[in-house]
Amino acid sequence: MKQIEQKNYGSALYTLVMVFFFWGFLAASNGIFIPFCKTHFQLTQFESQLVDSAFYGAYFIGSLILYLISTGMGYDILNRIGFKNGIIYGLIISVIGALCMIPAVNSGEYMLILASFFVIALGFSLQQTAANPFAIALGDPATGAHRLSLAGGVNSLGTTVGPIIVTLVLFGTVVATQEQVTNAPISSINSLYLILGGVFLLVAGIFAVVKMPRVTSDEGFEKSGKATRTMLMITGMIITLTIIGNSLPELFGAYTSIILLTIALISVIGILFSANHSAQKNNAGWGAMKYPQLVLGMIAIFVYVGVEVAIQSNMGALLKTPQFGGLNESQISHYISLYWGSLMIGRWTGGISVFNLKKSTKTILTIVVPFVAFGVVLIANRLSGHQVNDLYIYAVCIVVLILANLMAQEKPAKLLMILGILGVIAMIIGLLSTGNIGLFAFISGGLVCSIMWPCIFALSITGLGKFTSQGSAFLIMMILGGAIIPPLQGGLADLTDIHNSYIIPVLCFAYLAFFAWKVRQILKKQNIHFENTEVTVH
């Protein structure tokens, strides 16, 4: 980045933090929105998960469009227009999507609702691509990690309160009866998105008038033809499978959805492995993809986002079963909030490492902060009218997270491996149990996922040198996993049952543990001392 005059951009940072809040707010609210749509449109579990496909698919498409435009023009388009304008344009796109939701709802067409949701997330994609580096630029670069940690913590706060607020808007109360849920009009979605559209527009206006630095980069844009063709191949494959699924929904009978999604999953992984194999023979034209840590990391991000979303998106259906409480759409917000609150607990804990503190102080805070964050989750639920006595036992899971952090000693590969193994264990306990034991085991997946992103990201871009920016762009594209893995689990649930479908998260966490083990070997061969790579929470 070019050096900018050091000023107090506190107001700009606070405005930027609001954007992080709404990403978390809306993403977490899908856990309530999905079962709501399933009830009103009489959808299968697979069809209900298309909300996630639209939302996270937009991240991939948006990032890909930006990358292709930059490749075609020979310069970074976002760098040219500026991060501030990028965020404003992204917010305006989200406003358009929110307003489109109203006629979509009035039409009663589920696909139009998905299309509107896609446009909202397309704006989020542009916002996220611009906001992370912009947060670093709003002040002394040496304290940039602190600002990202603040933004990440506010993002997690949005994920905690989002399900509660959305439940209130949709049902008129945070604890609705089954009759209130059943009779809630689909038009209640209009109120939610009118509010969101207005807020997005307000934030865009604030961004337009608040004085912010003009941040640019001197780093040249690296063209990588073979890497570009690889990403286009993935895109073409997804489009083809989508067309087949829509045109021939009975191609494989009841197995059509799950077969096509499995093909998509295998194809993404296969294409990336093939690309890396070719790059090892001749790395010309591959850019960042010639580094195996990046390719394996792209798959890891794909899997991580997919499992984080899939656990909570399918949880609504799980909680409606007699074995897990037989709850209605209103009552599940209690647990969806705890799931996303678990991410806040982990991220607040991980954020301790960015401060220059004595080892003893860090140890004390690593023990205290998770319970402070847990207290925030309990208070949020209690203020919304929920009883929280049944959540106290979850403290056991938090103790396990604390022990994992202490054992890892701020080493990303070690921490990621421990978390991956804990994720596998938690999901297996959930599969073999019912009631509160099984439920809290599945919810603890939020604790496991909470600090995986910075671990994966740091390990994946380590050693990329001048290709770091390009590698980061490829990693953002792999948020695509949130569009494929949740409906894959939903399709499996339709064929078996929702409880057994949680075998999918087991496999995802197993790969993440494998990645942590494998990337250590890769970086050692490149004479990179991964032990010195610190985790920064985003």
Side-chain angles (χ1 to χ4, degrees):
M1 298 287 178
K2 285 184 178 179
Q3 294 295 319
I4 62 173
E5 183 182 353
Q6 293 301 311
K7 296 181 179 180
N8 183 7
Y9 289 106
S11 59
L13 177 61
Y14 301 146
T15 305
L16 181 64
V17 164
M18 284 192 287
V19 179
F20 281 78
F21 175 87
F22 286 112
W23 298 341
F25 179 95
L26 202 57
S29 300
N30 289 356
I32 307 301
F33 191 63
I34 287 171
F36 180 81
C37 287
K38 183 180 180 182
T39 297
H40 280 273
F41 292 103
Q42 298 180 331
L43 307 173
T44 64
Q45 185 63 14
F46 163 75
E47 290 170 336
S48 71
Q49 297 301 300
L50 293 179
V51 169
D52 281 330
S53 293
F55 190 78
Y56 292 97
Y59 273 88
F60 173 77
I61 296 298
S63 299
L64 181 64
I65 290 173
L66 272 178
Y67 173 75
L68 292 177
I69 292 176
S70 298
T71 298
M73 293 185 172
Y75 58 81
D76 189 332
I77 184 67
L78 190 56
N79 182 54
R80 182 66 62 92
I81 67 175
F83 293 130
K84 173 182 174 178
N85 288 332
I87 294 172
I88 293 174
Y89 297 153
L91 285 164
I92 292 173
I93 293 172
S94 294
V95 170
I96 294 171
L99 295 179
C100 286
M101 186 68 78
I102 297 172
V105 169
N106 293 337
S107 73
E109 292 292 331
Y110 180 54
M111 294 307 294
L112 291 179
I113 290 177
L114 292 179
S116 301
F117 213 56
F118 178 87
V119 176
I120 293 173
L122 201 62
F124 280 15
S125 172
L126 181 55
Q127 294 167 42
Q128 184 156 335
T129 304
N132 283 284
F134 199 27
I136 295 176
L138 292 176
D140 184 353
T143 59
H146 297 258
R147 292 187 289 280
L148 283 175
S149 295
L150 170 63
V154 173
N155 174 273
S156 295
L157 181 61
T159 64
T160 302
V161 303
I164 297 171
I165 295 176
V166 169
T167 298
L168 178 63
V169 174
L170 292 180
F171 305 117
T173 176
V174 292
V175 184
T177 64
Q178 184 59 52
E179 182 180 0
Q180 288 174 308
V181 171
T182 303
N183 296 330
I186 191 68
S187 59
S188 58
I189 296 178
N190 289 347
S191 300
L192 174 63
Y193 284 94
L194 269 175
I195 294 171
L196 286 174
V199 172
F200 292 153
L201 188 60
L202 175 63
V203 175
I206 294 174
F207 259 94
V209 300
V210 171
K211 188 175 182 181
M212 297 183 179
R214 171 73 181 181
V215 184
T216 58
S217 174
D218 294 320
E219 188 174 295
F221 185 81
E222 294 286 347
K223 289 189 176 182
S224 306
K226 293 179 182 178
T228 300
R229 286 193 291 273
T230 297
M231 301 311 296
L232 289 175
M233 189 181 303
I234 291 175
T235 306
M237 175 273 301
I238 292 172
I239 293 175
T240 300
L241 292 176
T242 301
I243 293 174
I244 292 174
N246 290 332
S247 304
L248 302 170
E250 300 299 325
L251 180 62
F252 301 108
Y255 298 92
T256 300
S257 298
I258 194 169
I259 287 177
L260 293 179
L261 284 166
T262 301
I263 291 173
L265 178 65
I266 294 174
S267 297
V268 170
I269 295 174
I271 289 171
L272 289 175
F273 270 124
S274 177
N276 183 64
H277 179 71
S278 299
Q280 299 311 300
K281 294 181 178 179
N282 179 10
N283 60 30
W286 281 106
M289 280 193 183
K290 67 183 178 183
Y291 294 96
Q293 63 265 40
L294 176 70
V295 176
L296 292 178
M298 289 171 69
I299 298 173
I301 289 290
F302 179 92
V303 168
Y304 156 74
V305 175
V307 71
E308 178 186 275
V309 175
I311 291 174
Q312 70 90 26
S313 291
N314 287 283
M315 193 172 290
L318 181 75
L319 290 168
K320 295 178 74 173
T321 63
Q323 297 91 336
F324 285 88
L327 307 180
N328 63 40
E329 284 85 348
S330 168
Q331 294 168 321
I332 66 176
S333 66
H334 183 45
Y335 298 103
I336 299 297
S337 175
L338 178 60
Y339 175 80
W340 289 108
S342 296
L343 275 87
M344 181 179 73
I345 292 168
R347 288 170 181 170
W348 284 18
T349 305
I352 295 169
S353 63
V354 304
F355 297 99
N356 186 22
L357 303 171
K358 294 188 299 183
K359 184 177 180 180
S360 59
T361 303
K362 281 188 177 182
T363 301
I364 293 172
L365 289 177
T366 298
I367 297 171
V368 172
V369 168
F371 288 104
V372 172
F374 185 42
V376 172
V377 175
L378 294 178
I379 291 172
N381 274 278
R382 191 67 188 89
L383 291 176
S384 67
H386 287 294
Q387 294 296 320
V388 296
N389 295 350
D390 58 329
L391 303 184
Y392 294 156
I393 190 64
Y394 193 64
V396 174
C397 299
I398 296 174
V399 170
V400 175
L401 175 72
I402 293 171
L403 293 174
N405 274 279
L406 294 175
M407 288 174 58
Q409 300 174 318
E410 300 182 21
K411 297 175 182 177
K414 187 176 182 180
L415 178 59
L416 183 59
M417 181 180 294
I418 293 172
L419 292 175
I421 294 171
L422 287 176
V424 171
I425 294 173
M427 295 303 106
I428 291 177
I429 291 174
L431 283 169
L432 299 177
S433 309
T434 56
N436 282 341
I437 293 178
L439 174 59
F440 288 133
F442 288 138
I443 291 177
S444 69
L447 292 174
V448 172
C449 289
S450 61
I451 41 183
M452 278 188 163
W453 173 280
C455 292
I456 298 169
F457 212 95
L459 293 166
S460 300
I461 63 174
T462 296
L464 267 58
K466 66 178 181 179
F467 294 104
T468 298
S469 178
Q470 187 185 93
S472 298
F474 288 146
L475 289 172
I476 294 295
M477 290 183 199
M478 288 298 100
I479 290 177
L480 174 68
I484 293 178
I485 293 177
L488 177 62
Q489 182 176 342
L492 181 60
D494 289 331
L495 291 178
T496 57
D497 62 70
I498 188 65
H499 190 187
N500 289 327
S501 73
Y502 275 80
I503 187 66
I504 298 293
V506 174
L507 300 176
C508 291
F509 284 126
Y511 174 79
L512 293 170
F514 162 77
F515 168 73
W517 169 76
K518 185 66 176 178
V519 77
R520 292 178 66 174
Q521 297 181 332
I522 291 172
L523 295 178
K524 273 186 177 181
K525 290 181 179 178
Q526 297 174 10
N527 294 318
I528 296 173
H529 299 288
F530 61 88
E531 292 89 350
N532 296 328
T533 303
E534 296 182 351
V535 179
T536 301
V537 178
H538 292 250

